[in-house]
């Protein structure tokens, strides 16, 4: 039996993780959860799964909560750190969304346990901090972002990455497939949130619509697989069936395929020696019509920023991530049009102020400063 601590339990990834646990109750047990404000969803999970520990990040929600005698409730960062390091916890799922997940991901990376990593923003902003800490503490990081889990599975059984020639990261293209940025000025938030293949949290769904998600994933992949950016190609694959492809030096290309369902990478990452069964939707190979197309040329500038970040490392990723988070939030709140998301990122990134100090404090500082800068750009656009 493996005890799972699910950080970000009330979100979309949280829901998929709970489904995998529910279908494998002989092997998996939910020992603890964390969330921010969604008390009603949190209460539902407690009623269904009886976790022993519940971390509520938001202080007023923590104070308002309904107590269950069966759980210990916690709120402070040191209590969260103790829970992450608790001897009963075997697997930590990092499924908090955005930069807010960095603190917990950093603690998890230091734990020496197995981490299932969904929170790509923590790697983009803090890759140079988190990966070395994980290595030092022998923490095993298994990606559950579908593309990265696919790459992980395609590399399985190989000695390392020396024989890898190329890694192709696939992108669905999102709801605005085949539409140029100039055609997207007046799209609504609801249109941008209507992803054709995946049902995800709002932030990552907007990132998919802008394709900034793929740029974040390029940086995430560079860190997780320790390969230079020039190994990675981004390719649009609208059906979201092939989740990524690894081409080896002998000409073999290996891909991982499944219906678009986050429970597939999660079940793989949760497994030990044997795979875990889930009620997946089978692919009908006789009716599959798979297509691929180039990454849109009008997103080359944003892709180039991601490649620059891969090459420079340091705290450049934290700037990119914070600028994007403010841009996305401003679009969702109706402050800027969809096409201005790129402008906020470009202009904030141009004014970047980067230190080479890779401590968690310094990354938090850069995140905070960048948010202030990005908000100024948003203001200048709205005025
Ligand atoms: P959601 O917005 O659906 O869920 C986010 C979770 O994080 C919720 O449990 C939320 O709690 C919690 N949370 C938010 N802010 C804080 C905070 N400050 N402190 C503690 N907890 C917090 O996001 P997703 O599940 O869609 O995404 C999670 C991560 O996984 C993201 O990094 C995303 O990029 C990545 N990912 C998601 C995919 C998907 O299919 N959804 C696919 C691939 C990657 P509350 O509900 O209380 O606010
Ligand atoms: Mg992904």
């Amino acid at each position: 039996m493996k005890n799972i601590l699910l950080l970000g339990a009330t979100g979309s990834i949280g829901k998929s993780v709970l489904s995998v646990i529910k279908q494998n109750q002989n092997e998996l047990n939910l020992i603890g959860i964390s969330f921010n404000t969604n008390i009603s969803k949190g209460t539902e999970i407690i009623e269904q799964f009886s976790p022993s520990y519940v971390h509520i990040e938001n202080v007023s929600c923590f104070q308002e909560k309904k107590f269950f005698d069966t759980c210990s409730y916690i709120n402070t960062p040191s209590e969260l750190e103790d829970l992450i390091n608790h001897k009963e916890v075997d697997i930590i799922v990092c499924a908090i969304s955005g930069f807010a997940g960095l603190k917990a991901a950093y603690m998890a990376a230091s734990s020496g346990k197995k981490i299932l990593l969904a929170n790509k923003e923590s790697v983009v902003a803090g890759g140079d901090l988190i990966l070395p800490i994980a290595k030092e503490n022998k923490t095993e990081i298994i990606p559950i972002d579908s593309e990265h889990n696919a790459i992980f599975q395609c590399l399985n059984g190989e000695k390392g990455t020396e024989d890898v020639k190329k890694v192709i990261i696939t992108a669905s293209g999102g709801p605005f497939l085949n539409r140029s940025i100039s055609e997207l000025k007046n799209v609504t938030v609801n249109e941008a949130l209507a992803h054709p293949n995946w049902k995800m949290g709002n932030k990552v769904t907007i990132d998919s619509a802008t394709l900034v998600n793929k740029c974040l994933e390029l940086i995430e992949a560079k860190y997780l697989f320790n390969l230079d950016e020039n190994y990675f190609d981004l390719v649009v694959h609208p059906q979201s069936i092939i989740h990524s492809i690894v081409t080896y030096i002998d000409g073999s290309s290996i891909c991982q395929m499944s219906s678009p369902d986050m429970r597939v990478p999660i079940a793989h990452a949760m497994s030990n020696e044997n795979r875990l069964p889930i009620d997946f939707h089978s692919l009908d190979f006789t009716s599959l019509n798979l297509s691929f197309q180039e990454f849109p040329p009008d997103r080359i500038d944003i892709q180039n920023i991601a490649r620059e970040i891969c090459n420079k490392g340091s705290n450049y990723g934290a700037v990119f991530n914070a600028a994007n988070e403010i841009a996305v939030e401003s679009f969702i709140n109706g402050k800027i049009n969809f096409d201005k998301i790129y402008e906020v990122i470009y202009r904030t990134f141009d004014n970047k102020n980067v230190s080479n100090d890779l401590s968690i404090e310094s990354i938090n500082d850069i995140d905070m400063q960048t948010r202030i800068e990005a908000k100024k750009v948003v203001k200048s656009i709205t005025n």
Side-chain angles (χ1 to χ4, degrees):
M1 181 68 82
K2 295 285 177 204
N3 284 326
I4 292 146
L5 171 59
L6 176 52
L7 309 174
T10 48
S12 156
I13 290 282
K15 185 176 176 195
S16 295
V17 170
L18 293 170
S19 168
V20 172
I21 294 175
K22 202 167 174 194
Q23 293 178 61
N24 289 278
Q25 289 181 39
N26 292 336
E27 304 216 22
L28 306 174
N29 171 51
L30 186 71
I31 191 166
I33 61 169
S34 97
F35 58 93
N36 191 27
T37 54
N38 194 342
I39 295 191
S40 66
K41 185 82 204 158
T43 305
E44 225 177 84
I45 298 170
I46 295 166
E47 282 170 343
Q48 261 196 39
F49 290 86
S50 306
S52 307
Y53 304 95
V54 177
H55 174 260
I56 304 175
E57 176 73 20
N58 183 282
V59 178
S60 51
C61 293
F62 176 71
Q63 285 157 352
E64 278 167 30
K65 74 198 175 285
K66 174 178 158 199
F67 277 97
F68 284 80
D69 297 345
T70 49
C71 312
S72 302
Y73 289 86
I74 58 172
N75 166 250
T76 67
S78 71
E79 286 170 325
L80 177 62
E81 189 163 18
D82 288 346
L83 176 56
I84 284 172
N85 288 303
H86 196 294
K87 62 177 186 324
E88 281 181 86
V89 170
D90 300 305
I91 297 174
I92 303 152
V93 184
C94 294
I96 294 172
S97 67
F99 184 83
L102 176 71
K103 179 181 66 180
Y106 175 68
M107 291 174 185
S110 317
S111 70
K113 301 188 179 190
K114 174 167 162 175
I115 307 183
L116 268 52
L117 188 92
N119 178 220
K120 64 192 89 183
E121 296 90 344
S122 63
V123 177
V124 171
D128 280 323
L129 175 72
I130 288 182
L131 274 296
I133 291 268
K135 196 171 175 195
E136 205 178 293
N137 290 286
K138 299 194 170 50
T139 302
E140 185 186 9
I141 300 182
I142 317 255
I144 53 175
D145 202 347
S146 57
E147 299 75 5
H148 304 73
N149 183 268
I151 298 167
F152 188 90
Q153 294 200 50
C154 295
L155 291 170
N156 196 22
E158 301 295 329
K159 290 185 291 292
T161 49
E162 309 91 72
D163 295 341
V164 170
K165 176 122 176 131
K166 271 281 169 205
V167 179
I168 293 132
I169 303 179
T170 53
S172 66
F176 305 134
L177 180 70
N178 296 328
R179 287 167 73 181
S180 66
I181 296 175
S182 58
E183 293 173 286
L184 300 176
K185 273 194 182 106
N186 298 316
V187 295
T188 64
V189 173
N190 283 341
E191 283 169 331
L193 287 175
H195 198 289
N197 304 345
W198 299 96
K199 174 107 193 63
M200 311 180 284
N202 286 355
K203 196 268 177 180
V204 60
T205 306
I206 301 297
D207 285 344
S208 292
T210 56
L211 293 175
V212 169
N213 184 46
K214 229 26 68 175
C215 300
L216 297 170
E217 290 186 353
L218 170 63
I219 303 167
E220 181 188 11
K222 172 239 135 84
Y223 279 111
L224 292 179
F225 302 106
N226 196 20
L227 283 168
D228 288 344
E229 57 75 25
N230 54 18
Y231 277 86
F232 297 100
D233 284 344
L234 306 182
V235 169
V236 172
H237 165 50
Q239 297 81 20
S240 296
I241 298 289
I242 292 186
H243 301 294
S244 278
I245 304 163
V246 175
T247 299
Y248 287 94
I249 49 173
D250 60 2
S252 277
S253 288
I254 316 260
C255 71
Q256 184 264 347
M257 303 168 79
S258 73
S259 301
D261 178 345
M262 287 309 293
R263 296 172 314 151
V264 174
I266 291 165
H268 164 263
M270 284 279 182
S271 66
N272 239 341
E273 277 136 42
N274 299 317
R275 291 201 177 233
L276 296 170
I278 57 164
D279 63 341
F280 66 94
H281 176 78
S282 300
L283 292 173
D284 174 3
F285 286 91
T286 57
S287 69
L288 279 186
N289 191 0
L290 304 180
S291 62
F292 300 89
Q293 55 194 70
E294 71 170 336
F295 202 71
D298 66 352
R299 316 297 150 99
I300 196 74
D301 290 343
I302 198 86
Q303 190 186 147
N304 283 341
I305 290 185
R307 292 191 182 275
E308 180 187 341
I309 292 164
C310 289
N311 288 321
K312 288 190 170 153
S314 181
N315 289 322
Y316 287 91
V319 174
F320 181 57
N321 182 66
N324 180 51
E325 288 197 19
I326 292 299
V328 170
E329 186 186 293
S330 304
F331 169 65
I332 291 176
N333 294 335
K335 288 187 184 152
I336 57 170
N337 284 354
F338 185 85
D339 61 322
K340 297 292 178 192
I341 293 176
Y342 303 97
E343 185 177 332
V344 173
I345 299 172
Y346 296 146
R347 283 175 53 191
T348 310
F349 198 73
D350 280 348
N351 289 333
K352 60 190 167 290
N353 190 0
V354 172
S355 92
N356 286 327
D357 176 1
L358 289 171
S359 63
I360 188 102
E361 293 77 18
S362 147
I363 297 171
N364 277 321
D365 221 45
I366 287 188
D367 174 78
M368 216 168 61
Q369 285 168 24
T370 307
R371 282 168 196 267
I372 294 169
E373 285 309 311
K375 281 179 187 168
K376 283 187 199 158
V377 177
V378 168
K379 209 161 175 203
S380 77
I381 289 172
T382 47
N383 279 340

